[in-house]
Amino acid sequence: MWSLKRKTTGEALFDLANNIIMLSLCFVTLYPIWYVIVNAFNNGSDAMQGGIYWWPRMFSLENFKAVFASPGIMLAMWITVAKTLVGTVAHVFFTAMVAYAFSRRNLIGGKIYILMGTVTLFFGGGLIPTFLLIKDLHLLDNFLVYIIPVLFSFFDLIIFMTFFRDIPEGLEEAARMDGANDWSIFLRVVIPVSMPVIATIALFHGVYQWNDYFAGIIYVNNPDLQPVQTFLYRVVAQSSSNQMITAVQGSNLVKSVTSQSIKLATMIVTTLPIVFVYPFLQRYFVKGMMLGSIKG
């Protein structure tokens, strides 16, 4: 006897409508990305005529050649990679270290510190006081301006602290019985079992570091220290293609690239690297916090 219950007409129509809505949302979300990709791989002059929606009409890689031929973009890419790697590692380690101290129940004045930190989530100093502070710290036109101002985040501290408080006390007690001090417990016990939250915070801050263009605009005037997102911002913001086209003057690229096509190609070049990071960190989001450890 069949145990499956046949769906009624109303339920079937509801499921069909739900599927149509979900597919529509997926299309609305993904099509703009696909549109950028299609036009970036199309001949720039041909793309100006319009009518390109699904596939490149005249496939071309010259837009990307023009992007990589422009002066400064490779250096800007290396600056972005460096500040993303260094900034993410420093941010995760420093925030986790402070959060571990905050997670201790016997921390003197812990409630006061948490209250003070919570205030910073709702109130900030503003752009001008922040700029003056950065200037007094001699961080203008300095690579450390990408690292030190965002070295700590109280919001990330709350996430770390909540995670650390769920770690069974038996792990730390066993380590102390073996003669471990606070540093040893933090580095050899807490950090290894906290990879899911570390990967999550690292991904969030890494995406922020990669996408941040504001610091390069406000605090950095030296073109050799500006990240690729600031470079992209200037490409998108410019009203004509003179600056980018000048970078490839004398080559046959000038005939087939436009300001718009270079903007689209630059967007792809600056977006793909951080997109490739997601599959490597995704497994940590579904991994159990205490997988393989003792239960308290």
Side-chain angles (χ1 to χ4, degrees):
M1 183 175 180
W2 296 103
S3 59
L4 297 177
K5 182 181 179 181
R6 180 176 298 179
K7 292 184 178 180
T8 63
T9 304
E11 291 175 340
L13 291 176
F14 177 80
D15 291 342
L16 177 61
N18 186 54
N19 292 334
I20 293 176
I21 293 175
M22 295 301 296
L23 289 174
S24 300
L25 290 176
C26 291
F27 175 79
V28 171
T29 303
L30 297 178
Y31 179 74
I33 302 175
W34 179 250
Y35 179 82
V36 170
I37 295 175
V38 168
N39 281 269
F41 281 97
N42 196 84
N43 181 283
S45 300
D46 177 72
M48 293 184 64
Q49 302 176 12
I52 302 175
Y53 303 108
W54 300 107
W55 305 102
R57 187 164 50 214
M58 293 181 60
F59 183 83
S60 174
L61 296 177
E62 293 180 349
N63 295 322
F64 294 92
K65 293 179 181 178
V67 170
F68 286 105
S70 60
I73 188 171
M74 293 307 299
L75 179 59
M77 184 70 74
W78 283 115
I79 291 294
T80 301
V81 171
K83 83 184 189 75
T84 300
L85 294 177
V86 176
T88 301
V89 172
H91 174 85
V92 169
F93 180 79
F94 187 82
T95 305
M97 179 178 61
V98 179
Y100 176 69
F102 271 57
S103 66
R104 302 302 89 190
R105 306 287 183 179
N106 57 352
L107 177 64
I108 300 177
K111 293 183 179 180
I112 298 177
Y113 299 147
I114 293 177
L115 178 62
M116 294 171 60
T118 303
V119 173
T120 64
L121 296 176
F122 302 96
F123 302 97
L127 179 59
I128 295 178
T130 302
F131 179 86
L132 295 177
L133 176 62
I134 297 296
K135 181 180 179 180
D136 291 341
L137 293 176
H138 304 287
L139 292 179
L140 296 180
D141 285 332
N142 191 323
F143 178 79
L144 293 179
V145 75
Y146 301 125
I147 311 300
I148 295 179
V150 292
L151 188 62
F152 174 77
S153 168
F154 192 79
F155 181 82
D156 293 343
L157 178 141
I158 295 175
I159 299 176
F160 269 119
M161 183 176 63
T162 304
F163 192 95
F164 291 157
R165 285 181 175 177
D166 290 336
I167 297 177
E169 296 181 0
L171 288 174
E172 298 186 22
E173 292 175 358
R176 292 189 185 278
M177 292 179 62
D178 292 337
N181 55 23
D182 290 333
W183 273 107
S184 298
I185 293 174
F186 175 69
L187 295 176
R188 298 182 180 181
V189 178
V190 175
I191 293 298
V193 302
S194 302
M195 290 308 298
V197 68
I198 290 176
T200 301
I201 299 300
L203 180 60
F204 290 164
H205 190 75
V207 171
Y208 163 78
Q209 283 282 9
W210 185 271
N211 292 330
D212 178 42
Y213 70 94
F214 189 73
I217 295 175
I218 301 298
Y219 306 125
V220 178
N221 292 321
N222 185 356
D224 294 337
L225 288 177
Q226 292 179 344
V228 71
Q229 296 299 343
T230 302
F231 182 88
L232 173 62
Y233 170 82
R234 291 178 173 173
V235 170
V236 174
Q238 66 185 9
S239 57
S240 66
S241 61
N242 293 335
Q243 179 180 351
M244 294 295 300
I245 298 302
T246 301
V248 291
Q249 282 286 358
S251 69
N252 57 0
L253 299 180
V254 180
K255 301 178 182 179
S256 57
V257 300
T258 62
S259 175
Q260 182 67 18
S261 65
I262 291 180
K263 292 176 186 179
L264 298 177
T266 308
M267 291 172 62
I268 295 177
V269 170
T270 55
T271 302
L272 284 182
I274 197 64
V275 171
F276 289 147
V277 175
Y278 276 91
F280 297 99
L281 296 179
Q282 184 180 8
R283 61 190 181 95
Y284 289 105
F285 299 149
V286 296
K287 204 171 185 181
M289 178 184 72
M290 303 306 301
L291 184 62
S293 64
I294 66 173
K295 300 296 181 180

